[in-house]
C-alpha cells in the first residue's frame, strides 16, 4: 500500500509535467488554455479535464485509467474543492 502511494505520487508528478508540455505547445497562454478546456466555464471540473486529456491524447504513452486520472486531477486541485478556478 505504501509503495502504491509512492508510485501514484510519482506518476502524478510525471504526468503533470507532460500536461504542462502539451499546454505550452497548444496554447499561447494559460488563460486561453483554461477557457478552451472548460469550454468557457469559470471552473474546471473533472469531466472537462478528462474530455480534454482524452481528446487531445495528452497522456498517450502512459497507461492511465480513470482512477489514475482522478488522482492527477486531485493533485492539481490543491485546495480540494473538486474543481479548479
Amino acid at each position: 500500500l505504501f509503495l502504491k502511494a509512492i508510485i501514484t505520487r510519482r506518476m502524478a508528478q510525471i504526468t503533470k509535467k507532460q500536461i504542462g508540455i502539451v499546454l505550452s505547445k497548444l496554447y499561447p497562454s494559460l488563460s486561453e488554455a483554461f477557457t478552451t478546456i472548460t469550454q468557457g466555464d469559470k471552473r474546471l471540473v473533472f469531466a472537462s479535464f478528462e474530455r480534454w486529456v482524452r481528446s487531445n491524447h495528452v497522456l498517450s504513452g502512459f497507461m492511465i485509467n480513470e482512477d489514475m486520472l482522478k488522482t492527477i486531477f486531485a493533485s492539481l486541485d490543491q485546495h480540494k474543492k473538486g474543481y479548479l478556478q
Side-chain angles (χ1 to χ4, degrees):
L1 191 61
F2 178 71
L3 184 59
K4 183 179 178 182
I6 291 172
I7 292 170
T8 302
R9 227 177 291 127
R10 182 69 180 135
M11 177 67 91
Q13 291 171 341
I14 293 167
T15 54
K16 284 194 309 189
K17 286 181 183 179
Q18 177 65 22
I19 290 167
I21 290 167
V22 172
L23 286 172
S24 66
K25 286 183 179 181
L26 293 178
Y27 306 100
S29 71
L30 191 55
S31 176
E32 186 175 322
F34 188 86
T35 301
T36 301
I37 296 166
T38 62
Q39 298 176 337
D41 197 359
K42 293 183 181 184
R43 295 179 177 177
L44 175 60
V45 294
F46 177 73
S48 298
F49 175 72
E50 180 180 30
R51 186 178 324 109
W52 177 77
V53 166
R54 298 204 188 281
S55 67
N56 288 284
H57 309 286
V58 174
L59 299 175
S60 63
F62 293 90
M63 295 180 67
I64 302 292
N65 60 31
E66 187 171 347
D67 287 338
M68 294 169 117
L69 197 56
K70 286 179 180 177
T71 300
I72 295 163
F73 182 78
S75 73
L76 297 171
D77 180 16
Q78 295 179 358
H79 299 290
K80 306 301 178 215
K81 297 180 287 188
Y83 61 88
L84 302 176
Q85 200 168 20

PDB file of all heavy atoms in Angstrom, residues 24-57:
ATOM      1  N   SER A  24       1.710  24.141 -23.189  1.00  0.00           N
ATOM      2  CA  SER A  24       2.585  25.168 -23.765  1.00  0.00           C
ATOM      3  C   SER A  24       2.691  25.046 -25.287  1.00  0.00           C
ATOM      4  O   SER A  24       2.923  26.039 -25.972  1.00  0.00           O
ATOM      5  CB  SER A  24       3.975  25.118 -23.130  1.00  0.00           C
ATOM      6  OG  SER A  24       4.634  23.922 -23.450  1.00  0.00           O
ATOM      7  N   LYS A  25       2.512  23.852 -25.818  1.00  0.00           N
ATOM      8  CA  LYS A  25       2.573  23.667 -27.267  1.00  0.00           C
ATOM      9  C   LYS A  25       1.263  24.053 -27.954  1.00  0.00           C
ATOM     10  O   LYS A  25       1.273  24.556 -29.076  1.00  0.00           O
ATOM     11  CB  LYS A  25       2.905  22.214 -27.606  1.00  0.00           C
ATOM     12  CG  LYS A  25       4.341  21.852 -27.343  1.00  0.00           C
ATOM     13  CD  LYS A  25       4.629  20.431 -27.754  1.00  0.00           C
ATOM     14  CE  LYS A  25       6.090  20.101 -27.506  1.00  0.00           C
ATOM     15  NZ  LYS A  25       6.411  18.733 -27.912  1.00  0.00           N
ATOM     16  N   LEU A  26       0.137  23.806 -27.279  1.00  0.00           N
ATOM     17  CA  LEU A  26      -1.166  24.027 -27.911  1.00  0.00           C
ATOM     18  C   LEU A  26      -1.731  25.434 -27.744  1.00  0.00           C
ATOM     19  O   LEU A  26      -2.533  25.872 -28.559  1.00  0.00           O
ATOM     20  CB  LEU A  26      -2.200  23.028 -27.368  1.00  0.00           C
ATOM     21  CG  LEU A  26      -2.014  21.561 -27.708  1.00  0.00           C
ATOM     22  CD1 LEU A  26      -3.105  20.721 -27.060  1.00  0.00           C
ATOM     23  CD2 LEU A  26      -2.008  21.359 -29.216  1.00  0.00           C
ATOM     24  N   TYR A  27      -1.335  26.120 -26.687  1.00  0.00           N
ATOM     25  CA  TYR A  27      -1.971  27.403 -26.365  1.00  0.00           C
ATOM     26  C   TYR A  27      -0.937  28.497 -26.115  1.00  0.00           C
ATOM     27  O   TYR A  27       0.088  28.248 -25.493  1.00  0.00           O
ATOM     28  CB  TYR A  27      -2.858  27.242 -25.116  1.00  0.00           C
ATOM     29  CG  TYR A  27      -3.861  26.130 -25.254  1.00  0.00           C
ATOM     30  CD1 TYR A  27      -3.625  24.892 -24.665  1.00  0.00           C
ATOM     31  CD2 TYR A  27      -5.034  26.293 -25.985  1.00  0.00           C
ATOM     32  CE1 TYR A  27      -4.539  23.850 -24.797  1.00  0.00           C
ATOM     33  CE2 TYR A  27      -5.948  25.263 -26.122  1.00  0.00           C
ATOM     34  CZ  TYR A  27      -5.697  24.049 -25.524  1.00  0.00           C
ATOM     35  OH  TYR A  27      -6.594  23.019 -25.660  1.00  0.00           O
ATOM     36  N   PRO A  28      -1.248  29.717 -26.549  1.00  0.00           N
ATOM     37  CA  PRO A  28      -0.311  30.818 -26.324  1.00  0.00           C
ATOM     38  C   PRO A  28      -0.299  31.311 -24.871  1.00  0.00           C
ATOM     39  O   PRO A  28       0.669  31.936 -24.446  1.00  0.00           O
ATOM     40  CB  PRO A  28      -0.806  31.916 -27.267  1.00  0.00           C
ATOM     41  CG  PRO A  28      -2.229  31.598 -27.531  1.00  0.00           C
ATOM     42  CD  PRO A  28      -2.361  30.112 -27.408  1.00  0.00           C
ATOM     43  N   SER A  29      -1.371  31.019 -24.130  1.00  0.00           N
ATOM     44  CA  SER A  29      -1.417  31.455 -22.734  1.00  0.00           C
ATOM     45  C   SER A  29      -2.202  30.450 -21.900  1.00  0.00           C
ATOM     46  O   SER A  29      -3.031  29.695 -22.419  1.00  0.00           O
ATOM     47  CB  SER A  29      -2.080  32.829 -22.618  1.00  0.00           C
ATOM     48  OG  SER A  29      -3.473  32.724 -22.879  1.00  0.00           O
ATOM     49  N   LEU A  30      -1.954  30.463 -20.612  1.00  0.00           N
ATOM     50  CA  LEU A  30      -2.677  29.597 -19.694  1.00  0.00           C
ATOM     51  C   LEU A  30      -4.156  29.976 -19.648  1.00  0.00           C
ATOM     52  O   LEU A  30      -5.024  29.114 -19.549  1.00  0.00           O
ATOM     53  CB  LEU A  30      -2.053  29.671 -18.304  1.00  0.00           C
ATOM     54  CG  LEU A  30      -2.514  28.642 -17.284  1.00  0.00           C
ATOM     55  CD1 LEU A  30      -2.341  27.226 -17.819  1.00  0.00           C
ATOM     56  CD2 LEU A  30      -1.749  28.813 -15.995  1.00  0.00           C
ATOM     57  N   SER A  31      -4.425  31.253 -19.760  1.00  0.00           N
ATOM     58  CA  SER A  31      -5.801  31.732 -19.767  1.00  0.00           C
ATOM     59  C   SER A  31      -6.584  31.167 -20.954  1.00  0.00           C
ATOM     60  O   SER A  31      -7.726  30.708 -20.804  1.00  0.00           O
ATOM     61  CB  SER A  31      -5.818  33.262 -19.806  1.00  0.00           C
ATOM     62  OG  SER A  31      -7.122  33.741 -19.905  1.00  0.00           O
ATOM     63  N   GLU A  32      -5.967  31.176 -22.117  1.00  0.00           N
ATOM     64  CA  GLU A  32      -6.626  30.624 -23.298  1.00  0.00           C
ATOM     65  C   GLU A  32      -6.815  29.119 -23.165  1.00  0.00           C
ATOM     66  O   GLU A  32      -7.848  28.573 -23.557  1.00  0.00           O
ATOM     67  CB  GLU A  32      -5.829  30.943 -24.558  1.00  0.00           C
ATOM     68  CG  GLU A  32      -6.550  30.515 -25.826  1.00  0.00           C
ATOM     69  CD  GLU A  32      -5.828  30.942 -27.084  1.00  0.00           C
ATOM     70  OE1 GLU A  32      -5.272  32.056 -27.107  1.00  0.00           O
ATOM     71  OE2 GLU A  32      -5.833  30.148 -28.039  1.00  0.00           O
ATOM     72  N   ALA A  33      -5.837  28.444 -22.609  1.00  0.00           N
ATOM     73  CA  ALA A  33      -5.951  27.004 -22.387  1.00  0.00           C
ATOM     74  C   ALA A  33      -7.119  26.704 -21.456  1.00  0.00           C
ATOM     75  O   ALA A  33      -7.937  25.822 -21.736  1.00  0.00           O
ATOM     76  CB  ALA A  33      -4.653  26.460 -21.793  1.00  0.00           C
ATOM     77  N   PHE A  34      -7.211  27.445 -20.362  1.00  0.00           N
ATOM     78  CA  PHE A  34      -8.283  27.234 -19.391  1.00  0.00           C
ATOM     79  C   PHE A  34      -9.641  27.444 -20.042  1.00  0.00           C
ATOM     80  O   PHE A  34     -10.550  26.627 -19.887  1.00  0.00           O
ATOM     81  CB  PHE A  34      -8.115  28.181 -18.196  1.00  0.00           C
ATOM     82  CG  PHE A  34      -9.048  27.898 -17.064  1.00  0.00           C
ATOM     83  CD1 PHE A  34      -8.724  26.952 -16.102  1.00  0.00           C
ATOM     84  CD2 PHE A  34     -10.264  28.562 -16.959  1.00  0.00           C
ATOM     85  CE1 PHE A  34      -9.594  26.676 -15.056  1.00  0.00           C
ATOM     86  CE2 PHE A  34     -11.133  28.298 -15.918  1.00  0.00           C
ATOM     87  CZ  PHE A  34     -10.795  27.352 -14.964  1.00  0.00           C
ATOM     88  N   THR A  35      -9.786  28.508 -20.802  1.00  0.00           N
ATOM     89  CA  THR A  35     -11.055  28.804 -21.478  1.00  0.00           C
ATOM     90  C   THR A  35     -11.430  27.699 -22.451  1.00  0.00           C
ATOM     91  O   THR A  35     -12.584  27.277 -22.515  1.00  0.00           O
ATOM     92  CB  THR A  35     -10.976  30.155 -22.207  1.00  0.00           C
ATOM     93  OG1 THR A  35     -10.671  31.173 -21.246  1.00  0.00           O
ATOM     94  CG2 THR A  35     -12.282  30.496 -22.892  1.00  0.00           C
ATOM     95  N   THR A  36     -10.459  27.207 -23.190  1.00  0.00           N
ATOM     96  CA  THR A  36     -10.713  26.144 -24.161  1.00  0.00           C
ATOM     97  C   THR A  36     -11.083  24.836 -23.465  1.00  0.00           C
ATOM     98  O   THR A  36     -12.063  24.183 -23.834  1.00  0.00           O
ATOM     99  CB  THR A  36      -9.485  25.919 -25.062  1.00  0.00           C
ATOM    100  OG1 THR A  36      -9.188  27.142 -25.736  1.00  0.00           O
ATOM    101  CG2 THR A  36      -9.731  24.825 -26.066  1.00  0.00           C
ATOM    102  N   ILE A  37     -10.317  24.463 -22.473  1.00  0.00           N
ATOM    103  CA  ILE A  37     -10.544  23.191 -21.788  1.00  0.00           C
ATOM    104  C   ILE A  37     -11.886  23.186 -21.060  1.00  0.00           C
ATOM    105  O   ILE A  37     -12.605  22.189 -21.079  1.00  0.00           O
ATOM    106  CB  ILE A  37      -9.386  22.882 -20.818  1.00  0.00           C
ATOM    107  CG1 ILE A  37      -8.093  22.690 -21.604  1.00  0.00           C
ATOM    108  CG2 ILE A  37      -9.698  21.650 -19.970  1.00  0.00           C
ATOM    109  CD1 ILE A  37      -6.849  22.702 -20.764  1.00  0.00           C
ATOM    110  N   THR A  38     -12.246  24.306 -20.450  1.00  0.00           N
ATOM    111  CA  THR A  38     -13.511  24.377 -19.711  1.00  0.00           C
ATOM    112  C   THR A  38     -14.686  24.722 -20.610  1.00  0.00           C
ATOM    113  O   THR A  38     -15.819  24.768 -20.154  1.00  0.00           O
ATOM    114  CB  THR A  38     -13.446  25.440 -18.598  1.00  0.00           C
ATOM    115  OG1 THR A  38     -13.233  26.726 -19.187  1.00  0.00           O
ATOM    116  CG2 THR A  38     -12.371  25.125 -17.585  1.00  0.00           C
ATOM    117  N   GLN A  39     -14.407  24.988 -21.873  1.00  0.00           N
ATOM    118  CA  GLN A  39     -15.412  25.397 -22.842  1.00  0.00           C
ATOM    119  C   GLN A  39     -16.143  26.658 -22.370  1.00  0.00           C
ATOM    120  O   GLN A  39     -17.353  26.789 -22.485  1.00  0.00           O
ATOM    121  CB  GLN A  39     -16.390  24.257 -23.127  1.00  0.00           C
ATOM    122  CG  GLN A  39     -15.696  23.060 -23.733  1.00  0.00           C
ATOM    123  CD  GLN A  39     -16.601  21.878 -23.952  1.00  0.00           C
ATOM    124  OE1 GLN A  39     -17.631  21.729 -23.313  1.00  0.00           O
ATOM    125  NE2 GLN A  39     -16.201  21.018 -24.869  1.00  0.00           N
ATOM    126  N   GLY A  40     -15.366  27.583 -21.819  1.00  0.00           N
ATOM    127  CA  GLY A  40     -15.876  28.879 -21.406  1.00  0.00           C
ATOM    128  C   GLY A  40     -16.425  28.938 -19.995  1.00  0.00           C
ATOM    129  O   GLY A  40     -16.810  30.006 -19.525  1.00  0.00           O
ATOM    130  N   ASP A  41     -16.462  27.824 -19.306  1.00  0.00           N
ATOM    131  CA  ASP A  41     -16.951  27.824 -17.924  1.00  0.00           C
ATOM    132  C   ASP A  41     -15.889  28.463 -17.022  1.00  0.00           C
ATOM    133  O   ASP A  41     -14.723  28.546 -17.385  1.00  0.00           O
ATOM    134  CB  ASP A  41     -17.228  26.392 -17.472  1.00  0.00           C
ATOM    135  CG  ASP A  41     -18.104  26.301 -16.234  1.00  0.00           C
ATOM    136  OD1 ASP A  41     -18.491  27.354 -15.694  1.00  0.00           O
ATOM    137  OD2 ASP A  41     -18.400  25.173 -15.803  1.00  0.00           O
ATOM    138  N   LYS A  42     -16.284  28.895 -15.851  1.00  0.00           N
ATOM    139  CA  LYS A  42     -15.340  29.522 -14.931  1.00  0.00           C
ATOM    140  C   LYS A  42     -14.632  28.511 -14.043  1.00  0.00           C
ATOM    141  O   LYS A  42     -13.729  28.863 -13.301  1.00  0.00           O
ATOM    142  CB  LYS A  42     -16.053  30.561 -14.072  1.00  0.00           C
ATOM    143  CG  LYS A  42     -16.530  31.737 -14.881  1.00  0.00           C
ATOM    144  CD  LYS A  42     -17.162  32.794 -14.023  1.00  0.00           C
ATOM    145  CE  LYS A  42     -17.634  33.935 -14.906  1.00  0.00           C
ATOM    146  NZ  LYS A  42     -18.169  35.039 -14.145  1.00  0.00           N
ATOM    147  N   ARG A  43     -15.077  27.253 -14.109  1.00  0.00           N
ATOM    148  CA  ARG A  43     -14.479  26.203 -13.289  1.00  0.00           C
ATOM    149  C   ARG A  43     -14.084  25.021 -14.153  1.00  0.00           C
ATOM    150  O   ARG A  43     -14.779  24.661 -15.087  1.00  0.00           O
ATOM    151  CB  ARG A  43     -15.470  25.711 -12.239  1.00  0.00           C
ATOM    152  CG  ARG A  43     -15.833  26.752 -11.235  1.00  0.00           C
ATOM    153  CD  ARG A  43     -16.817  26.205 -10.252  1.00  0.00           C
ATOM    154  NE  ARG A  43     -17.104  27.212  -9.232  1.00  0.00           N
ATOM    155  CZ  ARG A  43     -17.961  27.044  -8.267  1.00  0.00           C
ATOM    156  NH1 ARG A  43     -18.643  25.925  -8.181  1.00  0.00           N
ATOM    157  NH2 ARG A  43     -18.149  27.988  -7.385  1.00  0.00           N
ATOM    158  N   LEU A  44     -12.971  24.424 -13.802  1.00  0.00           N
ATOM    159  CA  LEU A  44     -12.542  23.208 -14.477  1.00  0.00           C
ATOM    160  C   LEU A  44     -12.921  22.037 -13.590  1.00  0.00           C
ATOM    161  O   LEU A  44     -12.378  21.869 -12.498  1.00  0.00           O
ATOM    162  CB  LEU A  44     -11.030  23.208 -14.722  1.00  0.00           C
ATOM    163  CG  LEU A  44     -10.437  21.925 -15.314  1.00  0.00           C
ATOM    164  CD1 LEU A  44     -11.061  21.616 -16.675  1.00  0.00           C
ATOM    165  CD2 LEU A  44      -8.943  22.028 -15.426  1.00  0.00           C
ATOM    166  N   VAL A  45     -13.884  21.262 -14.034  1.00  0.00           N
ATOM    167  CA  VAL A  45     -14.310  20.074 -13.300  1.00  0.00           C
ATOM    168  C   VAL A  45     -13.671  18.852 -13.944  1.00  0.00           C
ATOM    169  O   VAL A  45     -13.161  18.914 -15.068  1.00  0.00           O
ATOM    170  CB  VAL A  45     -15.855  19.946 -13.261  1.00  0.00           C
ATOM    171  CG1 VAL A  45     -16.471  21.088 -12.461  1.00  0.00           C
ATOM    172  CG2 VAL A  45     -16.431  19.911 -14.659  1.00  0.00           C
ATOM    173  N   PHE A  46     -13.710  17.745 -13.228  1.00  0.00           N
ATOM    174  CA  PHE A  46     -13.036  16.538 -13.704  1.00  0.00           C
ATOM    175  C   PHE A  46     -13.506  16.117 -15.093  1.00  0.00           C
ATOM    176  O   PHE A  46     -12.690  15.739 -15.939  1.00  0.00           O
ATOM    177  CB  PHE A  46     -13.219  15.379 -12.713  1.00  0.00           C
ATOM    178  CG  PHE A  46     -12.614  14.108 -13.209  1.00  0.00           C
ATOM    179  CD1 PHE A  46     -11.237  13.945 -13.223  1.00  0.00           C
ATOM    180  CD2 PHE A  46     -13.405  13.096 -13.709  1.00  0.00           C
ATOM    181  CE1 PHE A  46     -10.660  12.789 -13.721  1.00  0.00           C
ATOM    182  CE2 PHE A  46     -12.848  11.929 -14.198  1.00  0.00           C
ATOM    183  CZ  PHE A  46     -11.467  11.770 -14.202  1.00  0.00           C
ATOM    184  N   ALA A  47     -14.797  16.180 -15.355  1.00  0.00           N
ATOM    185  CA  ALA A  47     -15.323  15.729 -16.657  1.00  0.00           C
ATOM    186  C   ALA A  47     -14.700  16.513 -17.812  1.00  0.00           C
ATOM    187  O   ALA A  47     -14.333  15.928 -18.840  1.00  0.00           O
ATOM    188  CB  ALA A  47     -16.842  15.847 -16.682  1.00  0.00           C
ATOM    189  N   SER A  48     -14.559  17.815 -17.659  1.00  0.00           N
ATOM    190  CA  SER A  48     -13.935  18.639 -18.708  1.00  0.00           C
ATOM    191  C   SER A  48     -12.459  18.303 -18.859  1.00  0.00           C
ATOM    192  O   SER A  48     -11.938  18.229 -19.971  1.00  0.00           O
ATOM    193  CB  SER A  48     -14.085  20.123 -18.383  1.00  0.00           C
ATOM    194  OG  SER A  48     -15.427  20.494 -18.341  1.00  0.00           O
ATOM    195  N   PHE A  49     -11.796  18.126 -17.729  1.00  0.00           N
ATOM    196  CA  PHE A  49     -10.381  17.762 -17.736  1.00  0.00           C
ATOM    197  C   PHE A  49     -10.185  16.427 -18.441  1.00  0.00           C
ATOM    198  O   PHE A  49      -9.341  16.301 -19.331  1.00  0.00           O
ATOM    199  CB  PHE A  49      -9.866  17.681 -16.297  1.00  0.00           C
ATOM    200  CG  PHE A  49      -8.454  17.194 -16.167  1.00  0.00           C
ATOM    201  CD1 PHE A  49      -7.388  17.983 -16.545  1.00  0.00           C
ATOM    202  CD2 PHE A  49      -8.195  15.927 -15.650  1.00  0.00           C
ATOM    203  CE1 PHE A  49      -6.077  17.535 -16.417  1.00  0.00           C
ATOM    204  CE2 PHE A  49      -6.894  15.467 -15.514  1.00  0.00           C
ATOM    205  CZ  PHE A  49      -5.839  16.277 -15.898  1.00  0.00           C
ATOM    206  N   GLU A  50     -10.996  15.430 -18.093  1.00  0.00           N
ATOM    207  CA  GLU A  50     -10.883  14.109 -18.702  1.00  0.00           C
ATOM    208  C   GLU A  50     -11.156  14.168 -20.208  1.00  0.00           C
ATOM    209  O   GLU A  50     -10.422  13.570 -21.000  1.00  0.00           O
ATOM    210  CB  GLU A  50     -11.863  13.138 -18.040  1.00  0.00           C
ATOM    211  CG  GLU A  50     -11.807  11.744 -18.623  1.00  0.00           C
ATOM    212  CD  GLU A  50     -12.786  10.793 -17.972  1.00  0.00           C
ATOM    213  OE1 GLU A  50     -13.857  11.235 -17.509  1.00  0.00           O
ATOM    214  OE2 GLU A  50     -12.480   9.592 -17.955  1.00  0.00           O
ATOM    215  N   ARG A  51     -12.178  14.903 -20.601  1.00  0.00           N
ATOM    216  CA  ARG A  51     -12.520  15.037 -22.017  1.00  0.00           C
ATOM    217  C   ARG A  51     -11.340  15.629 -22.793  1.00  0.00           C
ATOM    218  O   ARG A  51     -10.965  15.144 -23.853  1.00  0.00           O
ATOM    219  CB  ARG A  51     -13.764  15.915 -22.176  1.00  0.00           C
ATOM    220  CG  ARG A  51     -14.300  16.011 -23.578  1.00  0.00           C
ATOM    221  CD  ARG A  51     -15.566  16.864 -23.693  1.00  0.00           C
ATOM    222  NE  ARG A  51     -16.479  16.770 -22.579  1.00  0.00           N
ATOM    223  CZ  ARG A  51     -16.692  17.745 -21.665  1.00  0.00           C
ATOM    224  NH1 ARG A  51     -16.065  18.891 -21.766  1.00  0.00           N
ATOM    225  NH2 ARG A  51     -17.540  17.580 -20.676  1.00  0.00           N
ATOM    226  N   TRP A  52     -10.740  16.688 -22.236  1.00  0.00           N
ATOM    227  CA  TRP A  52      -9.618  17.344 -22.906  1.00  0.00           C
ATOM    228  C   TRP A  52      -8.408  16.412 -22.999  1.00  0.00           C
ATOM    229  O   TRP A  52      -7.785  16.294 -24.051  1.00  0.00           O
ATOM    230  CB  TRP A  52      -9.250  18.630 -22.166  1.00  0.00           C
ATOM    231  CG  TRP A  52      -8.060  19.314 -22.750  1.00  0.00           C
ATOM    232  CD1 TRP A  52      -8.011  20.065 -23.885  1.00  0.00           C
ATOM    233  CD2 TRP A  52      -6.716  19.273 -22.237  1.00  0.00           C
ATOM    234  NE1 TRP A  52      -6.726  20.498 -24.108  1.00  0.00           N
ATOM    235  CE2 TRP A  52      -5.915  20.031 -23.116  1.00  0.00           C
ATOM    236  CE3 TRP A  52      -6.133  18.676 -21.130  1.00  0.00           C
ATOM    237  CZ2 TRP A  52      -4.554  20.201 -22.912  1.00  0.00           C
ATOM    238  CZ3 TRP A  52      -4.774  18.845 -20.922  1.00  0.00           C
ATOM    239  CH2 TRP A  52      -4.004  19.601 -21.816  1.00  0.00           C
ATOM    240  N   VAL A  53      -8.085  15.739 -21.902  1.00  0.00           N
ATOM    241  CA  VAL A  53      -6.931  14.830 -21.885  1.00  0.00           C
ATOM    242  C   VAL A  53      -7.101  13.734 -22.929  1.00  0.00           C
ATOM    243  O   VAL A  53      -6.191  13.448 -23.703  1.00  0.00           O
ATOM    244  CB  VAL A  53      -6.730  14.217 -20.476  1.00  0.00           C
ATOM    245  CG1 VAL A  53      -5.770  13.042 -20.513  1.00  0.00           C
ATOM    246  CG2 VAL A  53      -6.227  15.271 -19.497  1.00  0.00           C
ATOM    247  N   ARG A  54      -8.277  13.155 -22.962  1.00  0.00           N
ATOM    248  CA  ARG A  54      -8.508  12.032 -23.892  1.00  0.00           C
ATOM    249  C   ARG A  54      -8.609  12.499 -25.346  1.00  0.00           C
ATOM    250  O   ARG A  54      -8.043  11.874 -26.242  1.00  0.00           O
ATOM    251  CB  ARG A  54      -9.740  11.248 -23.472  1.00  0.00           C
ATOM    252  CG  ARG A  54      -9.567  10.620 -22.087  1.00  0.00           C
ATOM    253  CD  ARG A  54     -10.431   9.428 -21.842  1.00  0.00           C
ATOM    254  NE  ARG A  54     -10.389   8.969 -20.470  1.00  0.00           N
ATOM    255  CZ  ARG A  54      -9.432   8.234 -19.932  1.00  0.00           C
ATOM    256  NH1 ARG A  54      -8.389   7.899 -20.647  1.00  0.00           N
ATOM    257  NH2 ARG A  54      -9.492   7.841 -18.680  1.00  0.00           N
ATOM    258  N   SER A  55      -9.311  13.604 -25.597  1.00  0.00           N
ATOM    259  CA  SER A  55      -9.488  14.053 -26.985  1.00  0.00           C
ATOM    260  C   SER A  55      -8.193  14.585 -27.597  1.00  0.00           C
ATOM    261  O   SER A  55      -8.010  14.533 -28.812  1.00  0.00           O
ATOM    262  CB  SER A  55     -10.593  15.105 -27.087  1.00  0.00           C
ATOM    263  OG  SER A  55     -10.225  16.296 -26.435  1.00  0.00           O
ATOM    264  N   ASN A  56      -7.295  15.098 -26.779  1.00  0.00           N
ATOM    265  CA  ASN A  56      -6.019  15.611 -27.278  1.00  0.00           C
ATOM    266  C   ASN A  56      -4.866  14.629 -27.091  1.00  0.00           C
ATOM    267  O   ASN A  56      -3.715  14.973 -27.364  1.00  0.00           O
ATOM    268  CB  ASN A  56      -5.683  16.942 -26.589  1.00  0.00           C
ATOM    269  CG  ASN A  56      -6.572  18.053 -27.066  1.00  0.00           C
ATOM    270  OD1 ASN A  56      -6.394  18.556 -28.159  1.00  0.00           O
ATOM    271  ND2 ASN A  56      -7.570  18.402 -26.277  1.00  0.00           N
ATOM    272  N   HIS A  57      -5.167  13.447 -26.583  1.00  0.00           N
ATOM    273  CA  HIS A  57      -4.156  12.406 -26.372  1.00  0.00           C
ATOM    274  C   HIS A  57      -2.976  12.945 -25.556  1.00  0.00           C
ATOM    275  O   HIS A  57      -1.819  12.664 -25.855  1.00  0.00           O
ATOM    276  CB  HIS A  57      -3.670  11.829 -27.703  1.00  0.00           C
ATOM    277  CG  HIS A  57      -4.782  11.392 -28.592  1.00  0.00           C
ATOM    278  ND1 HIS A  57      -5.516  10.255 -28.371  1.00  0.00           N
ATOM    279  CD2 HIS A  57      -5.338  11.966 -29.679  1.00  0.00           C
ATOM    280  CE1 HIS A  57      -6.443  10.132 -29.288  1.00  0.00           C
ATOM    281  NE2 HIS A  57      -6.361  11.166 -30.105  1.00  0.00           N
TER     282      HIS A  57
END
